[in-house]
Structure formats: C-alpha cells, structure tokens
Amino acid sequence: MPVALAQEGSFGFGLQSAKGTYVAPTTWLPLMQAGHSRNADGLQMRKNYTLFDMADTNDYESRYYSAGEWAEGEIGVPLIPGALSNLLSWIQDRDADNQGRWGSVVIDCVNEVKQLTDVKVRKATVDLVKGEPVSCLLDVAGLSVESGITPSPTLPTTAPYIFREATVQLSVNGGALSEDINCERMKLVIDNAVEPVAEGMRLTADLAPGQLYNLAGVKCVGALSRDFVDSDLYSDFADGMEAALVITLTRGEVAATISLPRILYTASDMGLPGVHEQRIVEQVQFVALGSVDGLTAPVILA
C-alpha cells in the first residue's frame, strides 16, 4: 500500500445554523505549519474511556464505558484572499446569547476521513512575519466525531497573503491612525473564552458532551516587533497612553482588515543586542480593550 502523503490531504468546514446538525464543507483551505503547531492537523480524537472499579471477584480491569467523545487541538491555515469570509465569521461571530458559531469539519487524511460536528474556535492566533505568508492557528474543540466519506474538495488556487501586502496603521501620542512602515512582526491571540471540554461535559443520550459555552466576550492580546527608528511606542508605553492598531491585507480589489480600536502596551523589551553590526528592534506586548460602553469588541475582523 502506498504511503499517505501530506499534500494529498485536505481541510474543509461549514458553518452550522444550529447545534447538532452536520453541514457539508463550503470552505476548503490548505493546511500548513503555523505558529508552534508541529503538525498541520494537530487534532486529537478522545474517546474518554473510563474503567469500572468494582468488587466483582475479578482481579482484573475488564469493563469500561465512554464518558463522552470529543476532539480538540490545533489546525494551521494560511489567510488567502477571497477565502476568508466564513473563517472570520467562525472565529468572531456571536449570537444574541453571546455564544459563538458552531461549525462542521472534514479532514481528509488520505487513509481516513475525520468528520466532526459542533466545533467551536477556542482561540485563533494570527501571525504576520516579515517575508512570510500570513498564517492563522485555530485552536478548536468539537463534540461529535465520526468517520466521513472521501470528499471532493475545491481548494483555492490563490496564494496566501504575505507580509508585504499588509499595511499597518498605528496611533501614537494619542493622535490619529497613520501608516507605520517599521513593523516587522505582529502576533494576535484571539481568545473566545470557551469552557474547557472536560469541565463542561453535560452527558446526553449519545454520551457526548452537551455544550461548549462561551463564558465571556472575546479577549485579545498581542505583540509587535518594530525597527527602532523613534521613541514613539516606548513613550506611549512609559506614559500609559492608549493606542490603536489596524492591519489591512490587500491584493487587488480583495482586502481583509484586523482592527483593534484600543490597545494598551503592557510590556516593552528593548536593549542592545550584545553583538556588533546588528539592528536594535523593539518588542512591545499589548492587550486589546473593548469600548467602555460595551458596544465595540476589542478586535474586529472584516
């Protein structure tokens, strides 16, 4: 039997209108190594078998039951022009009860097709690095796992966004947003505050956890590295001055935007590199804040 090759696999998802109903994928994306994920498909399927502990004259562990099946792990995907609408919706949309979107996932691993229903994005880490494609690492959890049938994916042929297609706008000294050409890396971690699967299990008739509650609104932290051409960011950090950040990815007429209306710098790592002939690069960490009236989220994907 021929070995299964990574390039023969595929990843697709569809957004469900309600919990419990599988939806065939409407969006297909290639898998890629992203962030700290060692595998493109880092999902672990968990049966959660529990052994009976009984005094029954049998000296061995011999009986078991499933306390609930689920899947959790990381999936790395590139951000591709024209293929982001459903992905951004899956990451950030909330309903009237402040609950995130359910999705159905199909992962074709060549010799096995994994099909998941009722999947939520727990975290999304967006990484923009100078000279590299823009990637997103999805940390997901799903409530229903089964074998699927071999799909017929339609993968995008467009190349991912790359860093040089990003326009970065920063506000400094309390002023308006303006383009900053000196940023070399940015990382955003979007946390949907999803209840841990094992702690949130509500067993149903089919022995699957019943819910994945979003326990709070979206939270976002990040960091950026910038060529040290001025003291603007450090001054804002030292003075406790709020700022704003907008990242716009553009190719032709297709654009994607990440907006953080309020950010507060929480740490600054800057010093002489310790070797000759090397630039000084400042690194700042920040937390994104929602509006005081609660109407604007800390991060807006569009």
Side-chain angles (χ1 to χ4, degrees):
M1 178 180 294
V3 67
L5 300 177
Q7 67 263 33
E8 298 174 323
S10 56
F11 162 73
F13 69 93
L15 296 179
Q16 300 170 201
S17 58
K19 178 178 174 288
T21 303
Y22 171 78
V23 174
T26 54
T27 299
W28 291 92
L29 293 171
L31 296 171
M32 69 180 295
Q33 187 166 323
H36 298 290
S37 179
R38 298 183 62 184
N39 300 310
D41 166 22
L43 286 179
Q44 294 182 336
M45 313 301 177
R46 302 181 183 275
K47 284 288 189 178
N48 196 22
Y49 288 129
T50 300
L51 303 178
F52 284 105
D53 184 10
M54 301 184 297
D56 59 354
T57 75
N58 189 336
D59 195 34
Y60 307 107
E61 295 178 326
S62 60
R63 297 173 178 84
Y64 58 89
Y65 67 98
S66 174
E69 300 177 2
W70 72 85
E72 60 184 352
E74 296 177 337
I75 302 170
V77 296
L79 298 189
I80 296 178
L84 296 182
S85 177
N86 287 336
L87 179 63
L88 300 185
S89 178
W90 194 21
I91 293 172
Q92 76 172 353
D93 284 0
R94 299 291 182 95
D95 64 16
D97 297 317
N98 203 26
Q99 296 302 299
R101 296 292 301 267
W102 296 105
S104 300
V105 169
V106 169
I107 300 177
D108 185 353
C109 297
V110 185
N111 289 329
E112 175 58 54
V113 178
K114 306 172 185 178
Q115 181 173 302
L116 288 72
T117 307
D118 296 337
V119 181
K120 278 189 176 183
V121 177
R122 297 189 293 194
K123 291 183 180 180
T125 301
V126 181
D127 215 354
L128 299 98
V129 182
K130 187 175 181 178
E132 295 185 13
V134 181
S135 65
C136 181
L137 185 65
L138 302 173
D139 180 343
V140 302
L143 299 182
S144 177
V145 180
E146 59 188 328
S147 292
I149 60 175
T150 302
S152 298
T154 303
L155 289 163
T157 57
T158 305
Y161 284 114
I162 54 177
F163 184 90
R164 68 169 177 263
E165 294 173 304
T167 299
V168 179
Q169 293 178 290
L170 275 169
S171 66
V172 296
N173 302 319
L177 284 164
S178 60
E179 184 175 357
D180 190 303
I181 63 173
N182 301 301
C183 291
E184 301 190 343
R185 178 169 186 170
M186 285 158 288
K187 176 176 285 190
L188 301 176
V189 181
I190 301 168
D191 186 347
N192 278 321
V194 175
E195 183 178 30
V197 178
E199 296 178 14
M201 290 178 60
R202 307 288 186 268
L203 298 186
T204 61
D206 59 353
L207 297 180
Q211 292 292 342
L212 284 174
Y213 288 116
N214 296 83
L215 301 179
V218 64
K219 301 175 182 178
C220 181
V221 296
L224 64 86
S225 297
R226 183 174 180 265
D227 197 9
F228 189 49
V229 295
D230 54 49
S231 63
D232 287 343
L233 266 61
Y234 181 76
S235 295
D236 282 353
F237 162 73
D239 295 341
M241 177 72 70
E242 289 187 15
L245 171 64
V246 175
I247 304 166
T248 305
L249 299 164
T250 307
R251 183 179 302 162
E253 299 298 320
V254 182
T257 303
I258 304 172
S259 300
L260 294 88
R262 298 176 64 202
I263 62 174
L264 184 65
Y265 300 121
T266 57
S268 175
D269 179 9
M270 184 182 66
L272 295 176
V275 296
H276 288 77
E277 299 178 354
Q278 184 170 323
R279 290 182 299 118
I280 299 177
V281 177
E282 62 176 330
Q283 302 177 31
V284 292
Q285 300 173 36
F286 58 82
V287 59
L289 304 171
S291 61
V292 176
D293 60 12
L295 299 179
T296 304
V299 58
I300 304 165
L301 309 175

